Amino acid sequence: MTIDITGRSASEIAAGLRTRIERGELPPGTPLPPVRALAAEVGVNRNTVVAAYRQLAQAGLVEARGRGGTRVADRAAVAQEGYAPDTVLRDVGTGNPDPALIPDPTAALARSARPVLYGEPVIDPGLEGWAREWMADHLPHDDVRITVTSGASDAIERLLAQALQRDDAVALEDPCFLSALHTVRTGGYRAVPVPVDAEGMTVDGLREALAAGVRAVVCTPRAHNPTGASLSAARAADLREVLAAHPYVLVIEDDHFSLLSRAPLHSVIGPAQRRWARIRSMSKFLGPDTCLAVTASDPDTADGLAVRLTPGTTWVSHILQRLTLALVTDAGVRADIERAAAHYAARNAAFARALTARGLPVEPGDGLNLWVPLPVSAARVREDLMRRGWLVREGDPFFLGDGDHGAFLRLTVHDLDEASATALADDLAGVTGAGGAGAVGARPDAVRGGRIEA
């Protein structure tokens, strides 16, 4: 395409493009000309156009998509976790934990309150001591620093901000956790997709991303959201070997499911890594409103993260910190968390067996959700299920690229009673044209009298 732009400097070219974007003449998603093409059209050096595009990217007006070129940024809100607003449908796409399985904080809260004044330690000493031991597994580093932030997304945002500049490239799993994808895009960084398979982030995908110049990698070692995949020991070792050749790339390990996970932790952080961080949030087992995450990192990254904790957000509430410590060190609460973990795994496995028995093969991964491959369009399935009273979440928003990645649903079904789960499985089989119970791949123990049992 050609764009009628005048000007000889990067600032003038950027200003011309900005004016057209703000007037709506170049709507969101519009591809801009390749650098060489625009340089030839305007009659300037290609580096001038590169600088102009960089200015626009820093202003959040365009986004670079690697081989996909540069496009006008879409400022529409991206998909988020949680219940859909204003719906009368049964929402099975929330990504939420079961509120009935979140520990009651009442008794612990009564023991957690005392006045905290300016100048006191940023991290509660008791929580820091517990967290240091909790975060140390499979970390081949002795000098580990602990930081507390307002959740995992807050930690990722601050970690990237202290290490990167706008338009720097970040490797993300594809499909990707919505919050991480949103954080990268709003930060003005370039998301470089790394495919995920049954064993997690792929080695070839990571190798290609590093060759493309990514300066940070965000990896989920287990209970990947949305697929439920967890790194195998062999895959983690291969990823560590690839990363060892890039010791100053920031490796962020988001172990969000931690205490609830049924999979062992196989870390991608190796002894050669100089810049790294492991994040564990409390949101899945103590509830989303806990808004607290612990980050273990190397000293330089910890110092950079501390700088990003600007005045006004210097610390996470000490009441919240002490409440968290009181809960996670209580034997009864830990037993409740273990029961919740078993419940999520059992309910997801039972629903996966039921879908498989109905002709929709599903492998239950780890985590709160099920990733369901579809033989037909996800949009069509969503519309048909809405007519039957269900609201589901399509897989498309989780993918970074625009290519043909297949059709998927991400379902949150662990809080459905048996009758509702059976009805949803039947409706899914019906709208996708899958076979009924007794179809190819059916397992007799999966469905008894049409009902789902763990």
Side-chain angles (χ1 to χ4, degrees), residues 103 130 134 259 285 327-340:
W130 174 83
W134 181 47
L259 293 181
F285 51 88
L327 290 170
V328 297
T329 56
D330 183 284
V333 170
R334 290 298 288 266
D336 288 342
I337 292 172
E338 179 60 26
R339 281 190 288 270

Side-chain angles (χ1 to χ4, degrees), residues 302-444:
D303 289 343
L305 185 54
V307 169
R308 298 300 305 180
L309 293 169
T310 55
T313 56
T314 304
W315 72 78
V316 174
S317 163
H318 279 247
I319 294 177
L320 186 57
Q321 292 189 51
R322 288 196 297 273
L323 173 62
T324 297
L325 178 64
L327 290 170
V328 297
T329 56
D330 183 284
V333 170
R334 290 298 288 266
D336 288 342
I337 292 172
E338 179 60 26
R339 281 190 288 270
H343 171 83
Y344 294 136
R347 294 306 298 165
N348 285 343
F351 196 81
R353 290 196 301 269
L355 289 183
T356 300
R358 288 161 169 80
L360 282 174
V362 176
E363 288 293 331
D366 198 11
L368 294 177
N369 310 291
L370 278 178
W371 187 240
V372 180
L374 300 173
V376 295
S377 162
R380 187 189 114 190
V381 171
R382 181 178 186 272
E383 292 173 1
D384 288 346
L385 286 174
M386 288 177 69
R387 297 186 184 98
R388 299 184 183 214
W390 303 102
L391 184 62
V392 299
R393 186 180 285 266
E394 296 177 49
D396 286 358
F398 295 91
F399 286 93
L400 279 68
D402 299 325
D404 182 13
H405 44 65
F408 298 89
L409 295 180
R410 197 205 66 178
L411 300 178
T412 309
V413 298
H414 55 72
D415 57 348
L416 296 179
D417 60 33
E418 291 184 7
S420 297
T422 299
L424 176 58
D426 287 341
D427 285 342
L428 266 169
V431 300
T432 58
V440 175
R443 292 171 53 174

Side-chain angles (χ1 to χ4, degrees), residues 174-186:
D174 193 26
C176 182
F177 182 39
L178 293 174
S179 179
L181 180 56
H182 180 61
T183 297
V184 166
R185 286 179 173 171
T186 56

Side-chain angles (χ1 to χ4, degrees), residues 30-341:
T30 301
L32 298 183
V35 169
R36 292 186 184 277
L38 185 56
E41 179 183 339
V42 180
V44 297
N45 186 284
R46 65 180 301 275
N47 290 334
T48 303
V49 176
V50 170
Y53 282 1
R54 183 177 296 115
Q55 290 180 26
L56 293 170
Q58 290 171 345
L61 295 171
V62 304
E63 55 185 8
R65 298 190 175 184
R67 295 177 183 175
T70 300
R71 297 174 178 267
V72 177
D74 185 355
R75 299 203 170 195
V78 299
Q80 297 290 324
E81 296 285 9
Y83 290 103
D86 304 322
T87 181
V88 297
L89 303 175
R90 182 67 185 268
D91 191 346
V92 288
T94 71
N96 270 314
D98 188 336
L101 300 178
I102 294 174
D104 183 354
T106 305
L109 184 59
R111 305 192 302 269
S112 302
R114 73 164 178 80
V116 174
L117 303 177
Y118 298 114
E120 295 198 31
V122 170
I123 305 177
D124 178 80
L127 178 63
E128 182 175 15
W130 174 83
R132 186 174 298 280
E133 182 177 352
W134 181 47
M135 301 291 284
D137 53 327
H138 299 86
L139 279 179
H141 297 272
D142 295 327
D143 195 356
V144 176
R145 303 290 177 87
I146 300 296
T147 308
V148 174
T149 62
S150 298
S153 296
D154 181 48
I156 292 174
E157 180 180 13
R158 296 176 190 275
L159 284 164
L160 294 177
Q162 59 87 33
L164 308 182
Q165 298 179 356
R166 291 186 75 98
D167 206 37
D168 278 346
V170 180
L172 294 179
E173 294 151 327
D174 193 26
C176 182
F177 182 39
L178 293 174
S179 179
L181 180 56
H182 180 61
T183 297
V184 166
R185 286 179 173 171
T186 56
Y189 313 118
R190 288 185 293 115
V192 177
V194 179
V196 171
D197 64 17
E199 295 183 68
M201 177 179 279
T202 61
V203 177
D204 288 343
L206 176 61
R207 189 178 288 114
E208 291 178 8
L210 291 166
V214 299
R215 300 180 67 87
V217 176
V218 182
C219 178
T220 311
R222 50 186 173 177
H224 171 258
N225 191 346
T227 69
S230 297
L231 291 175
S232 65
R235 176 64 57 82
D238 290 342
L239 293 173
R240 289 194 300 270
E241 183 178 354
V242 172
L243 287 166
H246 303 268
Y248 289 98
V249 167
L250 173 61
V251 177
I252 301 174
E253 193 170 75
D254 183 9
D255 190 25
H256 70 105
F257 210 51
S258 59
L259 293 181
L260 292 170
S261 181
R262 301 290 85 183
L265 174 65
H266 298 297
S267 178
V268 299
I269 300 170
Q273 219 61 47
R274 304 295 294 273
R275 307 199 66 190
W276 57 269
R278 171 183 291 165
I279 305 167
R280 284 179 175 159
S281 168
M282 310 296 166
S283 296
K284 300 300 186 295
F285 51 88
L286 296 185
D289 198 42
T290 306
C291 290
L292 185 145
V294 175
T295 299
S297 68
D298 67 90
D300 289 341
T301 298
D303 289 343
L305 185 54
V307 169
R308 298 300 305 180
L309 293 169
T310 55
T313 56
T314 304
W315 72 78
V316 174
S317 163
H318 279 247
I319 294 177
L320 186 57
Q321 292 189 51
R322 288 196 297 273
L323 173 62
T324 297
L325 178 64
L327 290 170
V328 297
T329 56
D330 183 284
V333 170
R334 290 298 288 266
D336 288 342
I337 292 172
E338 179 60 26
R339 281 190 288 270

